[in-house]
Amino acid sequence: MARQKKEMAGPPPPAPWMSTFSDLMNLLLCFFVLLFSMSTVDADKFAELAASFASSFSIFPAGATAIGDGILISNGVSQLNELSEYFSSMGLANEGDMDQSMEAAKAEIEREALEQSEAMAAEIEDMLQDQDITSGIDVDFTSQYVQLQMNGALLFDSGRAILRGEAKNILDKVGDILINYSDELIEVVGHTDNVPISTSQFRDNMDLSYYRARAVMDYLIDQKNIPRGSIQTSGRGEDSPIASNETAEGRALNRRVEIRIYRELE
C-alpha cells in the first residue's frame, strides 16, 4: 500500500507579488521620512502667514486648502515635491525668510488699511463741515476704524445720562452722516473722568459711561434709523483717559463719547 504524503501545517507561502509590494511600501516610507527630516518650515508660523494672506489678499478663497492653483492637487507623492517648490518660490525655505515675509505682509496690510481709514476720515470731515458741526467733534482714525470724538459737555449734564436738547440737534446731523456707513460696524463708547460717583442710578463711573453711550445709541436707532444690527455700545469709565485727570481741563476732555466706524480692508 502506497504511503500518503503528509501535509505540512501553517499558512500557505506568500504570493510572489507581495514581496515586491512590501519593498515598495518600505521605500515610500523612507521617502516620506526623508522629506520630513529635510523640512525646516515652522508649521504654526506658516499657518499664521496663510491666514493673513487669506483674509487680506484672498489668496485662498472660500476656505480652500490648496496653496495656489494646481499646487496641492490630490495626485499622490507629487504634492510634496510641489509643496517644496512653493516654499522655495515664496522665499520661505527657512524661518528667517518666513519671519521677514510675514513682517513685510503685515506692514503692507497696515499701510493700505491706514490709507483707506484716512480717506474715510477726510470724507467725514467734509460732511461735518457741510453740516456746520465741527465744534466739539474731533475726527481721528486708526487702521481699524474712523472715530468721531464728542465732548461730553455737549451731550450731557454733569452726572447724568439723559441727552440735552442741544445734543439731539447735534446727533441729528451726526446720524445723517452715519447712515452712509450703516453697512459697517458702528460702536458707541462712553468715557468719564476719575471723579468718583455713586448714586441710586449709577454705582460708579463705569455705569455712567455705559448709560451715556447707550443713550446716544438709542437715539441714533430710534430717531435716525441706524440699523440695530449695525451698532453696539460699551462703557470704559475712567480707564482710558486722553488727558490728565489732575486738572479741570483734562477731566473735561476725558468726559467724552466716541463713535467708531469700523471698516474692512477692501
Side-chain angles (χ1 to χ4, degrees), residues 12 27 31 47 51 57 88 91 100 115 123 130 155 192 213 222-223 228 233:
L27 288 173
F31 180 65
F57 299 115
S88 299
Q100 292 178 4
E115 288 181 356
E123 184 179 65
D130 292 340
L155 304 176
T192 67
D222 297 337
Q223 303 300 322
R228 185 174 298 274
T233 185

Side-chain angles (χ1 to χ4, degrees), residues 218-240:
D218 288 344
Y219 188 86
L220 293 173
I221 292 173
D222 297 337
Q223 303 300 322
K224 304 308 296 182
N225 298 319
I226 301 295
R228 185 174 298 274
S230 298
I231 192 168
Q232 64 184 25
T233 185
S234 63
R236 304 291 175 82
E238 60 194 68
D239 295 335
S240 301

Side-chain angles (χ1 to χ4, degrees), residues 45-63:
K45 291 188 176 181
F46 179 74
E48 293 176 2
L49 178 63
S52 175
F53 278 127
S55 62
S56 304
F57 299 115
S58 299
I59 290 182
F60 308 146

Side-chain angles (χ1 to χ4, degrees), residues 177-213:
I177 295 174
L178 294 178
I179 198 67
N180 296 297
Y181 305 98
S182 58
D183 291 339
E184 312 287 350
L185 173 63
I186 299 173
E187 182 182 20
V188 184
V189 186
H191 301 270
T192 67
D193 57 27
N194 68 343
V195 177
I197 184 173
S198 180
T199 67
S200 58
Q201 188 175 6
F202 308 116
R203 295 176 300 175
D204 51 27
N205 281 323
M206 190 67 71
D207 264 8
L208 176 60
S209 66
Y210 170 78
Y211 281 104
R212 284 184 169 183

